[in-house]
């Protein structure tokens, strides 16, 4: 059941351009998607590194969720995203298992992918994301 694997690791960065260049230079990363999500105050880049992915997140507004994260904790690991077949079904299953959810229902993330976030309280301090495996 449940997760098929890790879809990506999310990393909060203060300068998106600089971080993209760094991951290119150090790890041969290639940009797969690049997106600004205005209503969330996020500028993001999805990078492919071999068969894995890193999502770099920077803030376009200080009061955004990523902006607050950067202010409180500085740049670094932000979340782990698990690939699942059906985000809504997994949310139901996790809720039934007593996991604290951030999103009760799926929403649209980068590239129109269906996503949802699980509270770090449910996972021992790590923000988790579900991504529809598509
Ligand atoms: Co993510």
């Amino acid at each position: 059941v449940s997760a098929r694997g890790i879809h990506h690791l999310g990393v909060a960065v203060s300068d998106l351009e600089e971080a993209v260049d760094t991951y290119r230079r150090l790890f041969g990363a290639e940009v797969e998607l690049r997106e600004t999500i205005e209503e969330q105050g996020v500028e993001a880049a999805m990078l492919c590194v071999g068969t894995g992915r890193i999502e770099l997140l920077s803030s376009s507004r200080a009061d955004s969720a990523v902006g607050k994260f950067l202010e409180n904790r500085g740049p670094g690991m932000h979340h782990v995203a698990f690939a699942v077949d059906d985000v809504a079904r997994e949310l139901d299953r996790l809720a039934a298992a007593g996991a604290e959810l951030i999103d009760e229902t799926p929403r649209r993330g980068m590239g129109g992918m269906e996503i949802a976030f699980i509270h770090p309280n449910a996972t021992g301090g790590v923000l988790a994301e579900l991504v529809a495996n598509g």
Side-chain angles (χ1 to χ4, degrees):
V1 285
S2 47
R4 287 181 165 277
I6 292 178
H7 185 273
H8 63 267
L9 300 178
V11 177
V13 302
S14 36
D15 184 327
L16 188 61
E17 286 310 322
E18 189 188 314
V20 167
D21 284 347
T22 300
Y23 276 81
R24 271 197 183 120
R25 190 164 48 83
L26 297 184
F27 306 114
E30 289 173 24
V31 177
E32 181 183 36
L33 279 172
R34 184 86 194 237
E35 214 166 286
T36 301
I37 306 163
E38 275 308 335
E39 65 274 22
Q40 290 172 39
V42 173
E43 278 183 83
M46 189 68 82
L47 308 182
C48 290
V49 186
T51 58
R53 289 189 185 88
I54 304 278
E55 180 183 52
L56 301 176
L57 304 162
S58 70
S59 170
S60 60
R61 290 197 312 263
D63 66 341
S64 69
V66 173
K68 285 179 197 152
F69 180 94
L70 286 165
E71 192 181 303
N72 294 333
R73 304 181 50 177
M77 277 297 305
H78 184 265
H79 64 272
V80 176
F82 296 95
V84 300
D85 287 332
D86 184 328
V87 174
R89 197 178 62 210
E90 285 305 312
L91 284 173
D92 287 346
R93 204 182 54 76
L94 288 167
E100 185 176 339
L101 307 179
I102 291 176
D103 296 309
E104 305 283 333
T105 55
R107 57 191 170 92
R108 293 285 157 189
M110 277 189 92
M113 289 184 295
E114 203 168 56
I115 65 163
F117 282 96
I118 315 304
H119 199 280
N121 286 347
T123 56
V126 179
L127 177 63
E129 177 183 2
L130 305 177
V131 180
N133 194 48

